[in-house]
Amino acid sequence: MRTTAQNAELALLLEVAGTPKPGNVDRHRDHDDLRFEHFLTGAVGAQEGLRMAAAGEPVGESFHRAIEGMADQRGGNTQFGAILLQLPLVVAAGADDRHLSPEGATAVVESTTVADAAGFYRAFEAVDVAVDDPPEDMAALDVRRGSDAVPALEERGLTLADIMARSADRDGIAREWVDGFERTFGAAESIESGEGPVADRAADAFLDLLAAEVDTFVVTQHDRATAERATERARAALDGDIDPEDLAAEFVAEEINPGTTADTVAAALFVALERGLEV
Amino acid sequence: MRTTAQNAELALLLEVAGTPKPGNVDRHRDHDDLRFEHFLTGAVGAQEGLRMAAAGEPVGESFHRAIEGMADQRGGNTQFGAILLQLPLVVAAGADDRHLSPEGATAVVESTTVADAAGFYRAFEAVDVAVDDPPEDMAALDVRRGSDAVPALEERGLTLADIMARSADRDGIAREWVDGFERTFGAAESIESGEGPVADRAADAFLDLLAAEVDTFVVTQHDRATAERATERARAALDGDIDPEDLAAEFVAEEINPGTTADTVAAALFVALERGLEV
């Protein structure tokens, strides 16, 4: 009964409701200036852009619209990465000639254009997103330049898929885009096969994902050593050596926010909901 | 930037996020079979009906659609009362020739038709709502009869406003409909003039409302004496004689759920958001 866009929005809401998700805002935890209700508001605000994507409007424009809507709250960046990761999945699920599968989503990625890349860059003007400095040969394409970078995109003829490919070695979202959304679909399966409340399954999926792979947002925010340590700690939590609630307190104290892992959970929840997961 | 329908949905989300709201599901509390995520899902599901109301489609049909969408989760009745209370406000806010004011909302109430009453009755088929037995002369109009009651409505020429007027002495939502939404607008003002996170202000408004007036859902669920005691306890919490968190534990133990008070907070949040409250 829910539309594809509604499932995408609901996935954003269920993601933030899952607890404990060590280091992130969740049902039981706020950061100082980034609170739970900012995520609720961001999810509602993203609605129109998600609807556009499900209706087959251009990926870049849909993303730009979703991020503008998401940013209409005072917490700042709540779900930029989650929406970016969801978007090809939403397009695939909404399209008549595609399927919500690794192949279907990859076909969406491969069909992106230079205009989509421009929309992606424009979205950075709506909200502050933490990113690393780009490699020297990509300075003209620094996402923080927003629409100022569009002429360089056009000159080089870079599609959104090209942009993602260039970031895939250091950004977990971009890697999913180019790798067939492998981790997303894997997490969706674990959520679908799980038991108990959906938000609890989302929290479990978060810990599994973090234990399996370094969170690139933590690398950006701190450094690789910190991110590797965070992943080791998540593994310890999975092994029962530390209570996830205590790990949450530990990450908060160290200001470790595995945001890319949370984004992956949001995308996985979307896949699971589209496939019929009941809440 | 958010639409009227989005503000209505966001109000439902912010309401359930506010904590502590003694006796109700909130960010920190679930009931056994009615969990936080059911409210998130209910709010997203209500979207299309809320959009219809904001676009000026008939109140009864919009309500029916909203409740069908809300019910697409496994928790049961999450926001029936809240949406019912919001609806005339949403119509007024969305209409070119009305205002979001007691007068504007009352004009919407007064314009309701027999067909709107029929839509309201049909909505009861989508979800189990706890209601009292009707007075004897209204047995044919028992809401639990759903669409079976529609011929009786039509025969007697009863509009939705008429139905509400007949329940106003024992139902807090109906009373708001016929009394110009006095408590809703009052609570909206207190939320607007409050300080701190919006969800915290919502929790404060909840306690103020409950301390001021008996919750009719608690009367239905238990009896008047229990509801009066709940209101006394809320007053004690306001006076600082009991910690609201302890009151929440007390109400949970006694299975006291002041649902009508929560519904009023949701409607008040909608009014405040429409008037520019920032989250």
Side-chain angles (χ1 to χ4, degrees):
Chain A
M1 190 182 227
R2 278 187 301 273
T3 64
T4 293
Q6 285 177 316
N7 276 335
E9 183 195 342
L10 180 56
L12 297 175
L13 294 169
L14 293 172
E15 187 282 314
V16 75
T19 188
K21 286 203 322 296
N24 287 293
V25 172
D26 68 21
R27 186 173 164 188
H28 290 163
R29 282 168 196 86
D30 295 304
H31 294 160
D32 284 346
D33 299 318
L34 182 61
R35 297 179 52 86
F36 187 70
E37 55 263 40
H38 296 136
F39 285 80
L40 301 181
T41 310
V44 171
Q47 216 175 83
E48 174 61 11
L50 294 168
R51 193 201 56 72
M52 287 166 62
E57 296 194 40
V59 171
E61 237 176 83
S62 302
F63 182 68
H64 185 198
R65 181 72 191 74
I67 297 307
E68 280 186 330
M70 176 209 81
D72 190 14
Q73 36 77 24
R74 296 186 293 187
N77 181 16
T78 47
Q79 291 121 333
F80 189 97
I83 294 168
L84 181 58
L85 189 48
Q86 280 185 338
L87 220 65
L89 303 163
V90 171
V91 174
D96 292 334
D97 57 340
R98 308 237 192 260
H99 293 102
L100 180 53
S101 62
E103 298 71 29
T106 297
V108 173
V109 168
E110 288 171 354
S111 72
T112 59
T113 63
V114 176
D116 290 327
F120 172 69
Y121 272 73
R122 286 191 189 100
F124 281 88
E125 295 181 359
V127 66
D128 274 334
V129 181
V131 289
D132 275 328
D133 290 329
E136 212 167 293
D137 64 325
M138 280 183 70
L141 295 172
D142 188 336
V143 287
R144 291 167 295 192
R145 299 186 66 213
S147 45
D148 288 345
V150 171
L153 285 175
E154 290 172 345
E155 197 183 311
R156 304 190 197 186
L158 295 170
T159 68
L160 184 47
D162 294 332
I163 296 296
M164 291 294 173
R166 283 165 183 239
S167 304
D169 61 335
R170 61 189 184 283
D171 178 81
I173 308 280
R175 198 179 309 144
E176 282 291 276
W177 267 61
V178 304
D179 274 1
F181 301 86
E182 196 181 323
R183 304 186 80 210
T184 300
F185 280 96
E189 271 170 43
S190 95
I191 289 169
E192 289 171 272
S193 64
E195 283 182 13
V198 169
D200 294 354
R201 300 189 212 173
D204 292 342
F206 175 88
L207 212 53
D208 287 341
L209 285 164
L210 184 57
E213 207 168 290
V214 156
D215 187 287
T216 54
F217 185 77
V218 178
V219 178
T220 297
Q221 195 189 22
H222 298 276
D223 49 44
R224 179 153 291 270
T226 307
E228 280 169 4
R229 191 158 40 80
T231 279
E232 272 165 40
R233 299 297 286 153
R235 220 172 285 142
L238 277 188
D239 291 346
D241 295 336
I242 178 173
D243 185 318
E245 295 285 352
D246 295 333
L247 185 60
E250 187 181 306
F251 280 4
V252 167
E254 298 173 25
E255 297 187 349
I256 290 172
N257 317 130
T260 301
T261 307
D263 297 339
T264 310
V265 172
L269 280 163
F270 167 70
V271 171
L273 288 169
E274 277 289 305
R275 287 175 172 173
L277 177 72
E278 286 189 74
V279 181
Chain B
M1 190 183 228
R2 277 187 301 273
T3 64
T4 293
Q6 284 176 317
N7 276 335
E9 183 195 341
L10 180 56
L12 298 175
L13 293 169
L14 293 172
E15 188 282 314
V16 75
T19 188
K21 287 201 323 294
N24 287 294
V25 171
D26 68 20
R27 186 173 164 187
H28 291 164
R29 281 170 197 85
D30 295 303
H31 294 161
D32 284 347
D33 298 318
L34 183 61
R35 297 179 53 85
F36 188 71
E37 55 263 41
H38 297 137
F39 284 81
L40 301 181
T41 310
V44 171
Q47 216 174 83
E48 174 62 10
L50 294 168
R51 192 202 57 72
M52 287 167 61
E57 295 194 41
V59 171
E61 236 176 84
S62 302
F63 182 69
H64 185 197
R65 182 70 191 78
I67 298 306
E68 280 186 330
M70 176 209 81
D72 190 15
Q73 36 77 24
R74 296 187 293 186
N77 180 15
T78 47
Q79 292 121 332
F80 189 98
I83 294 167
L84 181 59
L85 189 47
Q86 280 185 339
L87 220 63
L89 304 162
V90 171
V91 175
D96 291 333
D97 57 341
R98 308 238 192 258
H99 292 104
L100 180 53
S101 62
E103 298 72 29
T106 298
V108 172
V109 169
E110 288 171 355
S111 71
T112 59
T113 63
V114 176
D116 290 327
F120 171 69
Y121 272 74
R122 287 192 188 100
F124 282 88
E125 296 182 358
V127 66
D128 274 334
V129 181
V131 290
D132 274 328
D133 290 330
E136 212 167 293
D137 64 325
M138 281 183 70
L141 296 171
D142 188 336
V143 287
R144 291 167 296 192
R145 299 186 66 214
S147 45
D148 289 345
V150 170
L153 284 175
E154 289 172 346
E155 196 184 310
R156 304 191 197 186
L158 295 170
T159 68
L160 184 48
D162 294 333
I163 295 296
M164 290 294 174
R166 282 164 183 240
S167 304
D169 61 335
R170 62 190 183 285
D171 179 80
I173 308 281
R175 199 179 307 143
E176 282 292 277
W177 267 61
V178 304
D179 274 1
F181 302 85
E182 196 182 321
R183 304 185 80 212
T184 300
F185 279 97
E189 271 169 42
S190 94
I191 289 169
E192 290 171 272
S193 63
E195 284 181 12
V198 169
D200 293 354
R201 300 188 211 174
D204 292 342
F206 175 88
L207 211 54
D208 286 342
L209 285 163
L210 184 57
E213 208 168 290
V214 156
D215 187 287
T216 54
F217 185 77
V218 179
V219 178
T220 297
Q221 195 189 22
H222 298 277
D223 49 43
R224 178 153 293 269
T226 307
E228 280 170 2
R229 192 157 39 80
T231 279
E232 272 166 39
R233 298 298 286 154
R235 220 172 285 141
L238 277 188
D239 292 345
D241 294 337
I242 178 174
D243 185 317
E245 295 284 353
D246 295 334
L247 185 60
E250 186 181 307
F251 280 3
V252 168
E254 298 174 25
E255 297 187 348
I256 290 173
N257 318 130
T260 301
T261 307
D263 297 339
T264 310
V265 172
L269 280 164
F270 168 69
V271 171
L273 288 169
E274 277 289 304
R275 287 175 171 173
L277 177 72
E278 286 188 74
V279 181

